[in-house]
């Protein structure tokens, strides 16, 4: 028996995928109607979270944040059977994942933090990525279960909380990537370039292909042989802002990047590779 707590877009599609594999699933959600809707897929819905986990060997949870995880699991505790394994897919803080791993061990239960790079469609199709770290024997034991739910399980080593940390890092990249597109569209608007033209450009020239080399350059520690000088990158950044200003279009993140570049130029790094602006945070 499996229990699943949290019937948002991700959780509900995880449950639908489990039911497609004929897994017996008990479900709960704070808004009971969301759990009740999954009875059409063969799940059994409960209004009380302790009842939902009763008899379950595995309890999956995907809710909003650390506070929600702690609140829901505390309410579920009276119904947990001895030896139940708690598998938390919620994006949380690193500290929270570490604390819960220890706290639930003291209570006599196994807690795994397994955040995901998966959207609702991935959860339904069992594709995408799950991240896990910590007790390697436990990870090996649970690998088949987790692999059935996703395209790939990434074992990030024995450090508890490493999965939580890398999930946050990955999400930060997605946020900045999208924010970069916001400014990209704004600059295109200021110069009357249609979005379709941007899409066509990136189909032929994909900046994502340069990511491994960009990381290598940024972390090498030697910025003395530039492929793009910071002074020149700053000049282009000013061109972005000038074009936007002329059209009365606002850029969201480029002004902050320009200010960071100015700081490094003032420190005498203008003739170095522009990736020097990230050197203070490379270890």
């Amino acid at each position: 028996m499996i229990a699943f707590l949290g019937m948002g877009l991700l959780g509900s599609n995880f449950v639908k995928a489990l039911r497609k594999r004929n897994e017996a699933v008990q479900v709960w959600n704070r808004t009971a109607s969301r759990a009740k809707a999954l009875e059409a897929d063969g799940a059994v819905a409960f209004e009380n979270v302790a009842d939902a986990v009763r008899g379950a060997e595995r309890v999956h949870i995907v809710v909003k944040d650390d506070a929600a995880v702690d609140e829901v699991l505390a309410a579920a505790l009276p119904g947990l059977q001895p030896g139940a394994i708690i598998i938390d897919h919620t994006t949380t803080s690193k500290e929270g994942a570490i604390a819960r791993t220890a706290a639930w061990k003291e209570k006599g239960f196994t807690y795994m933090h397994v955040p995901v790079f998966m959207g609702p469609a991935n959860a339904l199709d069992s594709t995408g990525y799950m991240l896990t770290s910590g007790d390697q024997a436990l990870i090996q034991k649970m690998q088949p279960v987790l692999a059935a739910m996703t395209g790939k399980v990434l074992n990030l080593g024995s450090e508890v909380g490493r999965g939580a940390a890398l999930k946050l890092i990955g999400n930060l990249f997605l946020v900045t990537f999208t924010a970069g597109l916001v400014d990209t569209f704004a600059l295109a608007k200021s110069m009357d370039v249609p979005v379709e033209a941007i899409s066509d450009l990136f189909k032929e020239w994909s900046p994502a292909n340069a990511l491994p080399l960009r990381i290598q350059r940024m972390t090498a520690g030697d910025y003395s042989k530039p492929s793009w000088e910071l002074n020149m990158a700053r000049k282009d950044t000013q061109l972005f802002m000038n074009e936007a200003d002329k059209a009365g279009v606002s850029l969201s993140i480029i002004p902050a990047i320009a200010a960071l570049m100015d700081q490094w130029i003032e420190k005498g790094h203008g003739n170095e590779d522009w990736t020097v602006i990230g050197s203070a945070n490379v270890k």
Side-chain angles (χ1 to χ4, degrees):
M1 177 68 70
I2 301 168
F4 220 110
L5 312 178
M7 294 296 101
L9 295 176
L10 197 63
S12 60
N13 275 2
F14 270 133
V15 170
K16 290 176 182 178
L18 289 167
R19 287 298 305 138
K20 285 181 180 179
R21 298 196 293 274
N22 294 316
E23 298 275 10
V25 189
Q26 300 179 165
V27 297
W28 172 89
N29 192 72
R30 194 182 304 274
T31 301
S33 59
R34 291 186 178 181
K36 190 73 175 175
L38 287 161
E39 291 191 334
D41 296 281
V44 180
F46 292 83
E47 293 190 6
N48 184 285
V49 66
D51 292 336
V53 302
R54 196 162 277 118
E57 298 173 356
R58 289 177 8 231
V59 176
H60 295 258
I61 180 170
V62 54
V63 289
K64 181 181 178 181
D65 53 21
D66 286 282
V69 174
D70 290 336
E71 179 185 350
V72 171
L73 290 181
L77 178 57
L80 288 173
Q81 72 173 28
I85 298 175
I86 300 166
I87 302 175
D88 183 7
H89 302 293
T90 308
T91 299
T92 70
S93 67
K94 176 182 176 181
E95 291 77 9
I98 294 171
R100 276 185 290 278
T101 301
W104 283 94
K105 183 176 182 179
E106 289 182 3
K107 290 181 175 73
F109 299 94
T110 299
Y111 170 91
M112 294 183 72
H113 188 232
V114 187
V116 302
F117 289 123
M118 299 172 69
N122 297 117
L124 186 61
D125 296 338
S126 301
T127 59
Y129 298 85
M130 286 187 173
L131 314 181
T132 188
S133 65
D135 185 334
Q136 293 297 293
L138 174 63
I139 291 172
Q140 184 176 4
K141 173 185 175 182
M142 299 305 297
Q143 170 76 21
V145 168
L146 299 175
M149 297 176 66
T150 187
K152 191 168 186 178
V153 179
L154 302 181
N155 183 349
L156 302 171
S158 59
E159 180 183 333
V160 176
R162 177 58 62 88
L166 283 170
K167 167 60 174 173
L168 291 179
I169 290 167
N171 277 12
L172 181 146
F173 187 85
L174 291 176
V175 168
T176 54
F177 180 82
T178 301
L181 284 175
V182 170
D183 273 11
T184 298
F185 296 153
L187 181 59
K189 179 180 179 181
S190 73
M191 298 187 294
D192 296 319
V193 175
V195 172
E196 292 78 10
I198 300 171
S199 180
D200 290 342
L201 172 64
F202 288 162
K203 286 176 184 177
E204 297 296 328
W205 170 69
S206 176
N209 293 335
L211 184 58
L213 289 177
R214 182 57 51 84
I215 292 174
Q216 182 180 350
R217 177 175 284 276
M218 292 183 72
T219 58
D222 182 5
Y223 306 96
S224 63
K225 301 178 180 63
S227 63
W228 193 15
E229 288 186 356
L230 177 55
N231 283 330
M232 297 300 291
R234 178 63 181 87
K235 179 266 297 181
D236 286 2
T237 303
Q238 191 61 48
L239 288 174
F240 309 156
M241 294 190 291
N242 291 347
E243 291 290 345
D245 286 342
K246 284 188 293 184
V249 173
S250 297
L251 297 179
S252 300
I253 62 171
I254 287 297
I257 295 172
L260 178 62
M261 289 176 167
D262 288 340
Q263 293 174 19
W264 283 89
I265 290 170
E266 289 172 6
K267 289 188 283 188
H269 298 278
N271 293 324
E272 295 180 358
D273 192 86
W274 82 287
T275 58
V276 71
I277 64 174
S279 61
N281 296 316
V282 173
K283 66 174 183 177

